[in-house]
Amino acid sequence: YEIPKRDWSSDVCFSDLGFMLGDGWLGVDLDGVVDPATGKITDPEVEAWLATTESYVETTPSKTGLHAIFKGVEIPAWSQNKRGFVEVYADKRFFTVTGDARFADREVLADQAAVDKLCDRWLRKDKPRTPPPAGAKRKPHPDPSADDYADRKSTRLNSSHVSESRM
């Protein structure tokens, strides 16, 4: 971080320094987990997760979040990229860096176990719904009046005239 910062030309204006994720680089963005007044992490679960990785972590440009950076890891297939305050990206994203390291002795590592743990806790996809096989009959609703209502509503929507009510 210090070399590009030092080499910035005075006649060029830059607002952020960063890099494009991809080619094995993965970034974790944890929004709103740092108190900007104190710099303390406000979420105990995030703090516990940080203890499970030795990879590089820094404060975000807003000073209210954290970025963890990894190299040589992947987002698990069962994980989504974003939910709530947690985002994980492995490509097609520009990741700003501040150089404001949370842990002085950490370098960017290939810590797949830490990425898996984070994704399992906050980003695991819900079990996908499996469509019923073609031609399968719809299971009756436990409340027959609800089935009747759904059938009547469907009939009205699918016909050109109002059908007779089956009440």
Side-chain angles (χ1 to χ4, degrees):
Y1 178 83
E2 291 304 319
I3 293 170
K5 183 178 170 184
R6 182 190 69 222
D7 291 344
W8 280 359
S9 170
S10 61
D11 62 339
V12 178
C13 179
F14 292 97
S15 61
D16 292 309
L17 179 63
F19 66 101
M20 186 63 75
L21 295 171
D23 197 27
W25 291 90
L26 180 137
V28 174
D29 187 6
L30 303 164
D31 294 326
V33 298
V34 176
D35 180 339
T38 64
K40 292 187 179 186
I41 297 169
T42 59
D43 188 316
E45 287 187 86
V46 168
E47 200 163 27
W49 176 76
L50 291 172
T52 70
T53 183
E54 292 295 319
S55 199
Y56 179 77
V57 178
E58 66 176 25
T59 305
T60 61
S62 69
K63 302 210 182 301
T64 62
L66 298 171
H67 282 166
I69 303 172
F70 299 86
K71 176 78 172 152
V73 297
E74 297 177 344
I75 298 172
W78 44 261
S79 177
Q80 58 192 36
N81 290 88
K82 180 178 181 177
R83 180 180 289 144
F85 68 96
V86 180
E87 297 175 61
V88 178
Y89 296 103
D91 62 358
K92 300 177 187 167
R93 293 288 174 154
F94 184 79
F95 216 60
T96 57
V97 293
T98 62
D100 186 8
R102 296 296 294 201
F103 308 96
D105 59 339
R106 291 189 183 182
E107 295 183 17
V108 175
L109 300 175
D111 190 351
Q112 187 67 52
V115 172
D116 289 350
K117 187 170 186 155
L118 175 116
C119 292
D120 186 45
R121 168 61 186 94
W122 286 291
L123 300 172
R124 184 173 279 280
K125 290 179 185 175
D126 294 329
K127 185 176 179 183
R129 292 185 180 168
T130 307
K137 289 189 175 187
R138 185 179 71 136
K139 288 184 179 180
H141 192 279
D143 178 2
S145 63
D147 270 346
D148 184 50
Y149 173 77
D151 289 342
R152 283 184 286 132
K153 185 174 180 181
S154 175
T155 301
R156 281 196 300 263
L157 292 174
N158 293 327
S159 65
S160 59
H161 65 282
V162 176
S163 65
E164 193 172 303
S165 175
R166 296 185 288 164
M167 294 186 128

